[in-house]
Amino acid sequence: MNRDVKRTLLEDVAREAGVSTASVSRVLNAAPHVSERLRHKVEAAVDRLGYVPHGTARALASRRIGAIGALVPTLDNPVFSAMIDSLERRLKQYDCRLLIATYRYSLAEEVESLRTLIQQGIDGAVLIGHDHLPAALQLFQQHELPYLTCWHSQEDPDWPSIGFDNAAPAHQLAEHLIDLGHRHIAVITAPVEGNDRARARLHGFRHAIETAGLALPDDHIVTIDYGIEEGATAFAELMRLTPRPTALLCGNDVLAFGAVFAAQRAGIAIPEQLSVTGFDDLTQSRFMQPALTTVATPADEVGRRVADDLVARIQGRTTPHRQVLEARVVLRDSTAPPPSAGD
């Protein structure tokens, strides 16, 4: 693909900051004895110009697809690992490497990771979700770098996407519990700031509960980082409520695993005394005892489609701006009517 990108040079940064190129180099290379005033001037100029060292230009000049960058919040969550595995296997068919960076749900760190990937000479990139700082979009635009987002379904002219609706299946899960007769429902969610997927799922849970004329008080929502231990911690907090919830809606399967294990240790039978749902349909979910009711997210298909579409964009071909895949509710054995449907 022929992309004659006007690249920002070290001299441009020096001119913008009003300093010498040597001073810029000292700041960028973290040299000792650099004053805070100089560092601030150079870093501000770098941000304004979107400067990235010249590894990108070398990659663009080769006019071939050498590497794709993937920025994911974490690889601790197996569902992201499944998507990355599918993406990498598909890219190998195009003789293309995959470079991965994680940012632990920090959007500021995501921007810095993107800068690093661009410096490595990537030909395109994929980001998770819809929430990103304006600086990320600015980097893509300044370097004319093809990009996609995934794992969400929001319509946005700035962010082409391949993903699925997070709110609708969350709504369906909550409706399922309500139809079973549950009236005391609680939620375990990841932090929603900078995480549109968690925010959409919480919205779906809340909307279904409130539409049914039920309440979801603030103390019935525990916000905690994703993790099995975190799920167990949230479970313990919710079990101290009066009346105790008869059902837990978890923002992903990993949190649900923690809640199930903690319930079993506490002698609380699932689903006879407590129903639990997840979100993602990890492989372990169907082998849990009891098997977990959850939402099957199309991780493999997302990975394949991202690879195909991103390569097409790099080659100058047009692809759909927004693709919405199915994320379906999977009913298993971890949900049942509450101990007393009339409670």
mmCIF file of all heavy atoms in Angstrom, residues 1-48:
data_model
loop_
_atom_site.group_PDB
_atom_site.id
_atom_site.type_symbol
_atom_site.label_atom_id
_atom_site.label_comp_id
_atom_site.label_asym_id
_atom_site.label_seq_id
_atom_site.Cartn_x
_atom_site.Cartn_y
_atom_site.Cartn_z
ATOM 1 N N MET A 1 0.837 -1.196 0.000
ATOM 2 C CA MET A 1 0.000 0.000 0.000
ATOM 3 C C MET A 1 0.874 1.248 0.000
ATOM 4 O O MET A 1 1.823 1.356 0.765
ATOM 5 C CB MET A 1 -0.903 0.001 1.251
ATOM 6 C CG MET A 1 -1.771 1.227 1.356
ATOM 7 S SD MET A 1 -2.735 1.174 2.884
ATOM 8 C CE MET A 1 -3.527 2.762 2.780
ATOM 9 N N ASN A 2 0.538 2.197 -0.860
ATOM 10 C CA ASN A 2 1.354 3.394 -0.997
ATOM 11 C C ASN A 2 0.763 4.503 -0.143
ATOM 12 O O ASN A 2 -0.285 5.036 -0.436
ATOM 13 C CB ASN A 2 1.389 3.817 -2.469
ATOM 14 C CG ASN A 2 2.381 4.946 -2.687
ATOM 15 O OD1 ASN A 2 3.043 5.394 -1.755
ATOM 16 N ND2 ASN A 2 2.477 5.384 -3.924
ATOM 17 N N ARG A 3 1.440 4.813 0.952
ATOM 18 C CA ARG A 3 0.965 5.871 1.848
ATOM 19 C C ARG A 3 2.090 6.847 2.066
ATOM 20 O O ARG A 3 3.043 6.572 2.782
ATOM 21 C CB ARG A 3 0.516 5.298 3.196
ATOM 22 C CG ARG A 3 -0.796 4.559 3.149
ATOM 23 C CD ARG A 3 -1.122 4.027 4.518
ATOM 24 N NE ARG A 3 -0.220 2.941 4.865
ATOM 25 C CZ ARG A 3 -0.061 2.481 6.102
ATOM 26 N NH1 ARG A 3 -0.700 3.037 7.094
ATOM 27 N NH2 ARG A 3 0.749 1.478 6.350
ATOM 28 N N ASP A 4 1.998 8.001 1.443
ATOM 29 C CA ASP A 4 3.041 9.011 1.585
ATOM 30 C C ASP A 4 2.705 9.889 2.781
ATOM 31 O O ASP A 4 2.100 10.944 2.658
ATOM 32 C CB ASP A 4 3.142 9.849 0.305
ATOM 33 C CG ASP A 4 3.589 9.000 -0.865
ATOM 34 O OD1 ASP A 4 4.451 8.124 -0.662
ATOM 35 O OD2 ASP A 4 3.064 9.205 -1.968
ATOM 36 N N VAL A 5 3.064 9.410 3.956
ATOM 37 C CA VAL A 5 2.722 10.102 5.189
ATOM 38 C C VAL A 5 3.691 11.244 5.431
ATOM 39 O O VAL A 5 4.910 11.064 5.339
ATOM 40 C CB VAL A 5 2.771 9.125 6.384
ATOM 41 C CG1 VAL A 5 2.471 9.862 7.674
ATOM 42 C CG2 VAL A 5 1.779 7.993 6.170
ATOM 43 N N LYS A 6 3.185 12.416 5.719
ATOM 44 C CA LYS A 6 4.045 13.537 6.105
ATOM 45 C C LYS A 6 4.426 13.316 7.558
ATOM 46 O O LYS A 6 3.602 13.446 8.452
ATOM 47 C CB LYS A 6 3.312 14.867 5.928
ATOM 48 C CG LYS A 6 4.200 16.074 6.263
ATOM 49 C CD LYS A 6 3.434 17.357 6.080
ATOM 50 C CE LYS A 6 4.340 18.565 6.342
ATOM 51 N NZ LYS A 6 4.950 18.544 7.657
ATOM 52 N N ARG A 7 5.652 12.945 7.790
ATOM 53 C CA ARG A 7 6.087 12.544 9.110
ATOM 54 C C ARG A 7 6.717 13.710 9.854
ATOM 55 O O ARG A 7 7.487 14.481 9.308
ATOM 56 C CB ARG A 7 7.093 11.393 8.988
ATOM 57 C CG ARG A 7 7.483 10.771 10.303
ATOM 58 C CD ARG A 7 8.223 9.469 10.073
ATOM 59 N NE ARG A 7 9.374 9.671 9.219
ATOM 60 C CZ ARG A 7 10.559 10.083 9.657
ATOM 61 N NH1 ARG A 7 10.711 10.358 10.941
ATOM 62 N NH2 ARG A 7 11.574 10.236 8.835
ATOM 63 N N THR A 8 6.364 13.806 11.126
ATOM 64 C CA THR A 8 6.967 14.816 11.981
ATOM 65 C C THR A 8 8.397 14.411 12.293
ATOM 66 O O THR A 8 8.669 13.274 12.668
ATOM 67 C CB THR A 8 6.173 14.947 13.290
ATOM 68 O OG1 THR A 8 4.816 15.263 12.975
ATOM 69 C CG2 THR A 8 6.755 16.037 14.163
ATOM 70 N N LEU A 9 9.324 15.335 12.131
ATOM 71 C CA LEU A 9 10.734 15.075 12.359
ATOM 72 C C LEU A 9 11.183 15.652 13.691
ATOM 73 O O LEU A 9 10.501 16.486 14.300
ATOM 74 C CB LEU A 9 11.562 15.691 11.220
ATOM 75 C CG LEU A 9 11.214 15.224 9.807
ATOM 76 C CD1 LEU A 9 12.043 15.999 8.796
ATOM 77 C CD2 LEU A 9 11.439 13.722 9.662
ATOM 78 N N LEU A 10 12.354 15.207 14.124
ATOM 79 C CA LEU A 10 12.936 15.733 15.356
ATOM 80 C C LEU A 10 13.093 17.243 15.264
ATOM 81 O O LEU A 10 12.859 17.975 16.243
ATOM 82 C CB LEU A 10 14.294 15.067 15.605
ATOM 83 C CG LEU A 10 14.900 15.280 16.992
ATOM 84 C CD1 LEU A 10 14.166 14.442 18.024
ATOM 85 C CD2 LEU A 10 16.387 14.890 16.979
ATOM 86 N N GLU A 11 13.474 17.730 14.077
ATOM 87 C CA GLU A 11 13.640 19.166 13.878
ATOM 88 C C GLU A 11 12.321 19.919 14.077
ATOM 89 O O GLU A 11 12.319 21.062 14.570
ATOM 90 C CB GLU A 11 14.178 19.436 12.467
ATOM 91 C CG GLU A 11 15.616 18.974 12.244
ATOM 92 C CD GLU A 11 15.715 17.491 11.928
ATOM 93 O OE1 GLU A 11 14.654 16.814 11.896
ATOM 94 O OE2 GLU A 11 16.829 16.999 11.709
ATOM 95 N N ASP A 12 11.208 19.279 13.679
ATOM 96 C CA ASP A 12 9.900 19.921 13.866
ATOM 97 C C ASP A 12 9.580 20.085 15.349
ATOM 98 O O ASP A 12 9.040 21.111 15.777
ATOM 99 C CB ASP A 12 8.809 19.088 13.184
ATOM 100 C CG ASP A 12 9.029 18.972 11.685
ATOM 101 O OD1 ASP A 12 9.432 19.973 11.068
ATOM 102 O OD2 ASP A 12 8.786 17.882 11.143
ATOM 103 N N VAL A 13 9.899 19.059 16.126
ATOM 104 C CA VAL A 13 9.659 19.133 17.570
ATOM 105 C C VAL A 13 10.515 20.238 18.183
ATOM 106 O O VAL A 13 10.047 21.036 19.011
ATOM 107 C CB VAL A 13 9.964 17.781 18.238
ATOM 108 C CG1 VAL A 13 9.812 17.897 19.761
ATOM 109 C CG2 VAL A 13 9.040 16.700 17.696
ATOM 110 N N ALA A 14 11.779 20.304 17.761
ATOM 111 C CA ALA A 14 12.669 21.338 18.290
ATOM 112 C C ALA A 14 12.143 22.725 17.963
ATOM 113 O O ALA A 14 12.142 23.630 18.814
ATOM 114 C CB ALA A 14 14.080 21.153 17.717
ATOM 115 N N ARG A 15 11.682 22.909 16.717
ATOM 116 C CA ARG A 15 11.150 24.209 16.305
ATOM 117 C C ARG A 15 9.890 24.554 17.105
ATOM 118 O O ARG A 15 9.717 25.693 17.549
ATOM 119 C CB ARG A 15 10.839 24.171 14.811
ATOM 120 C CG ARG A 15 10.470 25.533 14.220
ATOM 121 C CD ARG A 15 10.191 25.422 12.730
ATOM 122 N NE ARG A 15 11.332 24.826 12.010
ATOM 123 C CZ ARG A 15 11.323 23.619 11.477
ATOM 124 N NH1 ARG A 15 10.233 22.859 11.555
ATOM 125 N NH2 ARG A 15 12.389 23.146 10.856
ATOM 126 N N GLU A 16 9.016 23.553 17.301
ATOM 127 C CA GLU A 16 7.772 23.789 18.043
ATOM 128 C C GLU A 16 8.053 24.163 19.502
ATOM 129 O O GLU A 16 7.383 25.023 20.083
ATOM 130 C CB GLU A 16 6.897 22.537 17.983
ATOM 131 C CG GLU A 16 5.588 22.615 18.756
ATOM 132 C CD GLU A 16 4.553 23.487 18.081
ATOM 133 O OE1 GLU A 16 4.750 23.863 16.911
ATOM 134 O OE2 GLU A 16 3.547 23.816 18.746
ATOM 135 N N ALA A 17 9.076 23.507 20.082
ATOM 136 C CA ALA A 17 9.401 23.752 21.498
ATOM 137 C C ALA A 17 10.307 24.962 21.689
ATOM 138 O O ALA A 17 10.469 25.452 22.814
ATOM 139 C CB ALA A 17 10.060 22.510 22.093
ATOM 140 N N GLY A 18 10.915 25.438 20.581
ATOM 141 C CA GLY A 18 11.827 26.573 20.684
ATOM 142 C C GLY A 18 13.143 26.205 21.331
ATOM 143 O O GLY A 18 13.746 27.017 22.054
ATOM 144 N N VAL A 19 13.607 24.962 21.076
ATOM 145 C CA VAL A 19 14.872 24.505 21.647
ATOM 146 C C VAL A 19 15.685 23.837 20.539
ATOM 147 O O VAL A 19 15.216 23.696 19.412
ATOM 148 C CB VAL A 19 14.643 23.520 22.812
ATOM 149 C CG1 VAL A 19 13.856 24.181 23.932
ATOM 150 C CG2 VAL A 19 13.907 22.264 22.327
ATOM 151 N N SER A 20 16.881 23.382 20.858
ATOM 152 C CA SER A 20 17.720 22.711 19.871
ATOM 153 C C SER A 20 17.311 21.250 19.724
ATOM 154 O O SER A 20 16.673 20.670 20.604
ATOM 155 C CB SER A 20 19.187 22.785 20.293
ATOM 156 O OG SER A 20 19.398 22.007 21.462
ATOM 157 N N THR A 21 17.724 20.646 18.597
ATOM 158 C CA THR A 21 17.443 19.224 18.406
ATOM 159 C C THR A 21 18.181 18.383 19.449
ATOM 160 O O THR A 21 17.690 17.331 19.872
ATOM 161 C CB THR A 21 17.871 18.771 16.993
ATOM 162 O OG1 THR A 21 19.245 19.103 16.781
ATOM 163 C CG2 THR A 21 17.012 19.428 15.925
ATOM 164 N N ALA A 22 19.349 18.862 19.879
ATOM 165 C CA ALA A 22 20.083 18.144 20.917
ATOM 166 C C ALA A 22 19.296 18.103 22.220
ATOM 167 O O ALA A 22 19.265 17.080 22.923
ATOM 168 C CB ALA A 22 21.449 18.783 21.139
ATOM 169 N N SER A 23 18.629 19.235 22.522
ATOM 170 C CA SER A 23 17.822 19.279 23.744
ATOM 171 C C SER A 23 16.642 18.315 23.653
ATOM 172 O O SER A 23 16.295 17.625 24.623
ATOM 173 C CB SER A 23 17.330 20.702 23.994
ATOM 174 O OG SER A 23 18.403 21.571 24.276
ATOM 175 N N VAL A 24 16.020 18.278 22.472
ATOM 176 C CA VAL A 24 14.905 17.352 22.278
ATOM 177 C C VAL A 24 15.388 15.919 22.465
ATOM 178 O O VAL A 24 14.748 15.099 23.137
ATOM 179 C CB VAL A 24 14.283 17.524 20.872
ATOM 180 C CG1 VAL A 24 13.232 16.433 20.617
ATOM 181 C CG2 VAL A 24 13.659 18.903 20.738
ATOM 182 N N SER A 25 16.517 15.588 21.873
ATOM 183 C CA SER A 25 17.062 14.236 21.986
ATOM 184 C C SER A 25 17.355 13.875 23.432
ATOM 185 O O SER A 25 17.091 12.749 23.871
ATOM 186 C CB SER A 25 18.337 14.137 21.148
ATOM 187 O OG SER A 25 18.874 12.836 21.216
ATOM 188 N N ARG A 26 17.893 14.826 24.185
ATOM 189 C CA ARG A 26 18.201 14.552 25.596
ATOM 190 C C ARG A 26 16.935 14.234 26.378
ATOM 191 O O ARG A 26 16.916 13.321 27.201
ATOM 192 C CB ARG A 26 18.926 15.752 26.211
ATOM 193 C CG ARG A 26 20.356 15.937 25.700
ATOM 194 C CD ARG A 26 20.968 17.196 26.293
ATOM 195 N NE ARG A 26 21.037 17.131 27.740
ATOM 196 C CZ ARG A 26 20.739 18.124 28.556
ATOM 197 N NH1 ARG A 26 20.351 19.295 28.064
ATOM 198 N NH2 ARG A 26 20.858 17.979 29.861
ATOM 199 N N VAL A 27 15.857 14.979 26.118
ATOM 200 C CA VAL A 27 14.595 14.723 26.819
ATOM 201 C C VAL A 27 14.036 13.354 26.432
ATOM 202 O O VAL A 27 13.631 12.558 27.287
ATOM 203 C CB VAL A 27 13.561 15.828 26.512
ATOM 204 C CG1 VAL A 27 12.189 15.445 27.072
ATOM 205 C CG2 VAL A 27 14.018 17.160 27.107
ATOM 206 N N LEU A 28 14.010 13.067 25.125
ATOM 207 C CA LEU A 28 13.412 11.816 24.654
ATOM 208 C C LEU A 28 14.204 10.595 25.101
ATOM 209 O O LEU A 28 13.634 9.509 25.254
ATOM 210 C CB LEU A 28 13.294 11.833 23.126
ATOM 211 C CG LEU A 28 12.361 12.895 22.542
ATOM 212 C CD1 LEU A 28 12.348 12.809 21.018
ATOM 213 C CD2 LEU A 28 10.948 12.745 23.093
ATOM 214 N N ASN A 29 15.506 10.778 25.326
ATOM 215 C CA ASN A 29 16.344 9.666 25.759
ATOM 216 C C ASN A 29 16.545 9.631 27.272
ATOM 217 O O ASN A 29 17.376 8.857 27.771
ATOM 218 C CB ASN A 29 17.702 9.730 25.062
ATOM 219 C CG ASN A 29 17.593 9.393 23.592
ATOM 220 O OD1 ASN A 29 17.120 8.321 23.227
ATOM 221 N ND2 ASN A 29 18.022 10.314 22.739
ATOM 222 N N ALA A 30 15.742 10.452 27.986
ATOM 223 C CA ALA A 30 15.775 10.484 29.454
ATOM 224 C C ALA A 30 17.190 10.715 29.985
ATOM 225 O O ALA A 30 17.640 10.053 30.928
ATOM 226 C CB ALA A 30 15.193 9.192 30.027
ATOM 227 N N ALA A 31 17.893 11.655 29.357
ATOM 228 C CA ALA A 31 19.249 11.975 29.793
ATOM 229 C C ALA A 31 19.207 12.628 31.177
ATOM 230 O O ALA A 31 18.219 13.267 31.549
ATOM 231 C CB ALA A 31 19.920 12.913 28.792
ATOM 232 N N PRO A 32 20.275 12.472 31.961
ATOM 233 C CA PRO A 32 20.301 13.101 33.288
ATOM 234 C C PRO A 32 20.445 14.620 33.185
ATOM 235 O O PRO A 32 20.852 15.157 32.148
ATOM 236 C CB PRO A 32 21.527 12.461 33.944
ATOM 237 C CG PRO A 32 22.412 12.064 32.801
ATOM 238 C CD PRO A 32 21.485 11.669 31.689
ATOM 239 N N HIS A 33 20.099 15.289 34.280
ATOM 240 C CA HIS A 33 20.291 16.728 34.410
ATOM 241 C C HIS A 33 19.462 17.530 33.379
ATOM 242 O O HIS A 33 19.915 18.571 32.901
ATOM 243 C CB HIS A 33 21.778 17.103 34.290
ATOM 244 C CG HIS A 33 22.686 16.266 35.126
ATOM 245 N ND1 HIS A 33 22.540 16.151 36.492
ATOM 246 C CD2 HIS A 33 23.736 15.468 34.773
ATOM 247 C CE1 HIS A 33 23.472 15.333 36.956
ATOM 248 N NE2 HIS A 33 24.212 14.906 35.937
ATOM 249 N N VAL A 34 18.287 17.031 33.063
ATOM 250 C CA VAL A 34 17.365 17.783 32.197
ATOM 251 C C VAL A 34 16.385 18.528 33.093
ATOM 252 O O VAL A 34 15.735 17.924 33.958
ATOM 253 C CB VAL A 34 16.603 16.842 31.248
ATOM 254 C CG1 VAL A 34 15.538 17.608 30.471
ATOM 255 C CG2 VAL A 34 17.568 16.164 30.279
ATOM 256 N N SER A 35 16.279 19.839 32.890
ATOM 257 C CA SER A 35 15.404 20.632 33.752
ATOM 258 C C SER A 35 13.934 20.292 33.485
ATOM 259 O O SER A 35 13.565 19.868 32.380
ATOM 260 C CB SER A 35 15.627 22.125 33.509
ATOM 261 O OG SER A 35 15.133 22.498 32.225
ATOM 262 N N GLU A 36 13.106 20.484 34.509
ATOM 263 C CA GLU A 36 11.672 20.224 34.361
ATOM 264 C C GLU A 36 11.049 21.154 33.325
ATOM 265 O O GLU A 36 10.139 20.764 32.583
ATOM 266 C CB GLU A 36 10.967 20.392 35.707
ATOM 267 C CG GLU A 36 11.178 19.240 36.669
ATOM 268 C CD GLU A 36 10.698 17.922 36.084
ATOM 269 O OE1 GLU A 36 9.567 17.902 35.540
ATOM 270 O OE2 GLU A 36 11.440 16.929 36.141
ATOM 271 N N ARG A 37 11.554 22.390 33.255
ATOM 272 C CA ARG A 37 11.031 23.352 32.280
ATOM 273 C C ARG A 37 11.282 22.863 30.855
ATOM 274 O O ARG A 37 10.397 22.894 30.002
ATOM 275 C CB ARG A 37 11.680 24.716 32.499
ATOM 276 C CG ARG A 37 11.191 25.811 31.551
ATOM 277 C CD ARG A 37 11.743 27.169 31.965
ATOM 278 N NE ARG A 37 11.313 28.214 31.045
ATOM 279 C CZ ARG A 37 11.951 28.531 29.925
ATOM 280 N NH1 ARG A 37 13.071 27.889 29.598
ATOM 281 N NH2 ARG A 37 11.503 29.499 29.129
ATOM 282 N N LEU A 38 12.500 22.386 30.600
ATOM 283 C CA LEU A 38 12.821 21.879 29.268
ATOM 284 C C LEU A 38 12.003 20.624 28.959
ATOM 285 O O LEU A 38 11.465 20.483 27.854
ATOM 286 C CB LEU A 38 14.319 21.560 29.177
ATOM 287 C CG LEU A 38 14.786 20.877 27.876
ATOM 288 C CD1 LEU A 38 14.465 21.749 26.666
ATOM 289 C CD2 LEU A 38 16.269 20.538 27.946
ATOM 290 N N ARG A 39 11.912 19.733 29.927
ATOM 291 C CA ARG A 39 11.156 18.500 29.712
ATOM 292 C C ARG A 39 9.696 18.811 29.375
ATOM 293 O O ARG A 39 9.108 18.220 28.464
ATOM 294 C CB ARG A 39 11.241 17.613 30.959
ATOM 295 C CG ARG A 39 10.656 16.210 30.740
ATOM 296 C CD ARG A 39 10.767 15.376 32.022
ATOM 297 N NE ARG A 39 12.119 15.406 32.559
ATOM 298 C CZ ARG A 39 13.108 14.641 32.106
ATOM 299 N NH1 ARG A 39 12.888 13.828 31.086
ATOM 300 N NH2 ARG A 39 14.298 14.707 32.645
ATOM 301 N N HIS A 40 9.131 19.760 30.103
ATOM 302 C CA HIS A 40 7.725 20.119 29.863
ATOM 303 C C HIS A 40 7.542 20.699 28.460
ATOM 304 O O HIS A 40 6.589 20.352 27.753
ATOM 305 C CB HIS A 40 7.264 21.124 30.911
ATOM 306 C CG HIS A 40 5.869 21.629 30.668
ATOM 307 N ND1 HIS A 40 4.740 20.882 30.929
ATOM 308 C CD2 HIS A 40 5.426 22.820 30.150
ATOM 309 C CE1 HIS A 40 3.667 21.576 30.588
ATOM 310 N NE2 HIS A 40 4.052 22.742 30.124
ATOM 311 N N LYS A 41 8.458 21.577 28.038
ATOM 312 C CA LYS A 41 8.346 22.199 26.713
ATOM 313 C C LYS A 41 8.434 21.147 25.601
ATOM 314 O O LYS A 41 7.653 21.156 24.646
ATOM 315 C CB LYS A 41 9.449 23.244 26.530
ATOM 316 C CG LYS A 41 9.262 24.496 27.366
ATOM 317 C CD LYS A 41 10.434 25.441 27.250
ATOM 318 C CE LYS A 41 10.570 26.005 25.847
ATOM 319 N NZ LYS A 41 11.642 27.013 25.750
ATOM 320 N N VAL A 42 9.381 20.224 25.740
ATOM 321 C CA VAL A 42 9.561 19.215 24.698
ATOM 322 C C VAL A 42 8.385 18.242 24.679
ATOM 323 O O VAL A 42 7.856 17.907 23.611
ATOM 324 C CB VAL A 42 10.892 18.467 24.905
ATOM 325 C CG1 VAL A 42 10.977 17.256 23.977
ATOM 326 C CG2 VAL A 42 12.061 19.408 24.680
ATOM 327 N N GLU A 43 7.944 17.789 25.858
ATOM 328 C CA GLU A 43 6.840 16.831 25.902
ATOM 329 C C GLU A 43 5.553 17.458 25.373
ATOM 330 O O GLU A 43 4.758 16.782 24.701
ATOM 331 C CB GLU A 43 6.644 16.318 27.325
ATOM 332 C CG GLU A 43 7.765 15.388 27.774
ATOM 333 C CD GLU A 43 7.629 14.941 29.214
ATOM 334 O OE1 GLU A 43 6.802 15.533 29.958
ATOM 335 O OE2 GLU A 43 8.351 13.998 29.605
ATOM 336 N N ALA A 44 5.349 18.744 25.656
ATOM 337 C CA ALA A 44 4.173 19.425 25.123
ATOM 338 C C ALA A 44 4.233 19.503 23.600
ATOM 339 O O ALA A 44 3.220 19.312 22.906
ATOM 340 C CB ALA A 44 4.051 20.822 25.730
ATOM 341 N N ALA A 45 5.407 19.774 23.054
ATOM 342 C CA ALA A 45 5.577 19.828 21.595
ATOM 343 C C ALA A 45 5.363 18.458 20.969
ATOM 344 O O ALA A 45 4.742 18.332 19.904
ATOM 345 C CB ALA A 45 6.965 20.361 21.249
ATOM 346 N N VAL A 46 5.863 17.414 21.617
ATOM 347 C CA VAL A 46 5.668 16.040 21.132
ATOM 348 C C VAL A 46 4.185 15.715 21.068
ATOM 349 O O VAL A 46 3.684 15.149 20.083
ATOM 350 C CB VAL A 46 6.413 15.040 22.046
ATOM 351 C CG1 VAL A 46 5.940 13.603 21.780
ATOM 352 C CG2 VAL A 46 7.913 15.144 21.827
ATOM 353 N N ASP A 47 3.444 16.087 22.127
ATOM 354 C CA ASP A 47 2.014 15.824 22.159
ATOM 355 C C ASP A 47 1.276 16.586 21.070
ATOM 356 O O ASP A 47 0.383 16.043 20.406
ATOM 357 C CB ASP A 47 1.429 16.183 23.527
ATOM 358 C CG ASP A 47 1.835 15.191 24.605
ATOM 359 O OD1 ASP A 47 2.246 14.071 24.245
ATOM 360 O OD2 ASP A 47 1.742 15.536 25.796
ATOM 361 N N ARG A 48 1.631 17.860 20.886
ATOM 362 C CA ARG A 48 0.936 18.676 19.877
ATOM 363 C C ARG A 48 1.175 18.146 18.469
ATOM 364 O O ARG A 48 0.270 18.136 17.628
ATOM 365 C CB ARG A 48 1.386 20.131 19.973
ATOM 366 C CG ARG A 48 0.844 20.872 21.185
ATOM 367 C CD ARG A 48 1.014 22.384 21.035
ATOM 368 N NE ARG A 48 2.412 22.777 20.951
ATOM 369 C CZ ARG A 48 3.176 23.058 22.009
ATOM 370 N NH1 ARG A 48 2.657 22.971 23.234
ATOM 371 N NH2 ARG A 48 4.440 23.431 21.865
#
